[in-house]
Amino acid sequence: MAEADEELAHADVLELFQAALARLVRDPLLCDLPPQVTPEEIGSQVALEYGQAMTVRVCKADGESMRERSGRRAAGSGRRGRARGNAGAESGAAPAAVVVVQNATVLDLKKALRRHVQLRQARRGGVQHLSWRYIWRTYHLTYGGEKLADDGKKLRE
């Protein structure tokens, strides 16, 4: 009997938490976030507002964005910029926006891109597992025609 009360209480707390998050996302600074927002996404948006992070736009080399399908090829760009590379996507859509800290490295960008794609896939019910080892061995990120091969290099360099 006590377990049923705990489960009900947990469900009530979860419902209250989701309602509070929904109210929080209606804030003008956070209105770009999805309804099922994660704490990481909120933190990234706040960091953007305080100038502690930057937005990297990712699109394919042929100018298409990586909106629908992921895992083929990727290209990253600097702050609010846009670079071309391959990312496997839908034609005509806006580039995917990935948030990284100001002093991020190429490896940080790869990890952020991975989190972005996994979250998007989970929300849309797409493929849940991608071989990121295969993706990074086969394809690469570029910016301004330069291959971003050194994982330790800062994006701002």
Side-chain angles (χ1 to χ4, degrees):
M1 180 82 175
E3 286 182 28
D5 290 340
E6 286 180 26
E7 287 180 28
L8 182 61
H10 176 72
D12 291 340
V13 169
L14 190 59
E15 185 177 322
L16 288 171
F17 179 74
Q18 290 295 336
L21 270 179
R23 283 193 307 273
L24 184 64
V25 172
R26 285 193 296 252
D27 182 277
L29 295 176
L30 303 174
C31 64
D32 294 336
L33 296 174
Q36 285 83 24
V37 67
T38 65
E40 181 182 7
E41 290 172 309
I42 293 173
S44 294
Q45 192 70 22
V46 170
L48 271 174
E49 293 301 321
Y50 281 107
Q52 299 167 345
M54 60 183 165
T55 301
V56 178
R57 309 263 181 224
V58 180
C59 61
K60 291 173 58 173
D62 60 7
E64 295 181 15
S65 74
M66 54 166 289
R67 291 298 248 191
E68 290 301 316
R69 288 174 291 186
S70 63
R72 291 223 176 136
R73 297 183 184 184
S77 70
R79 183 182 176 109
R80 301 190 192 272
R82 187 173 170 173
R84 303 201 185 266
N86 288 328
E90 166 185 291
S91 179
V98 179
V99 177
V100 293
V101 294
Q102 289 286 352
N103 62 347
T105 63
V106 172
L107 182 61
D108 294 332
L109 175 59
K110 287 180 177 181
K111 288 178 181 179
L113 183 60
R114 180 180 182 166
R115 286 190 305 270
H116 173 82
V117 169
Q118 287 173 335
L119 255 176
R120 189 187 66 227
Q121 294 293 83
R123 287 181 177 139
R124 294 185 180 169
V127 176
Q128 292 299 316
H129 178 74
L130 297 171
S131 174
W132 289 95
R133 178 182 290 183
Y134 170 79
I135 291 168
W136 298 131
R137 271 189 300 164
T138 308
Y139 307 106
H140 57 271
L141 298 171
T142 62
Y143 177 66
E146 179 185 342
K147 182 177 177 180
L148 304 177
D150 181 9
D151 283 347
K153 186 174 181 182
K154 300 278 185 191
L155 293 177
R156 292 239 171 220
E157 293 177 5

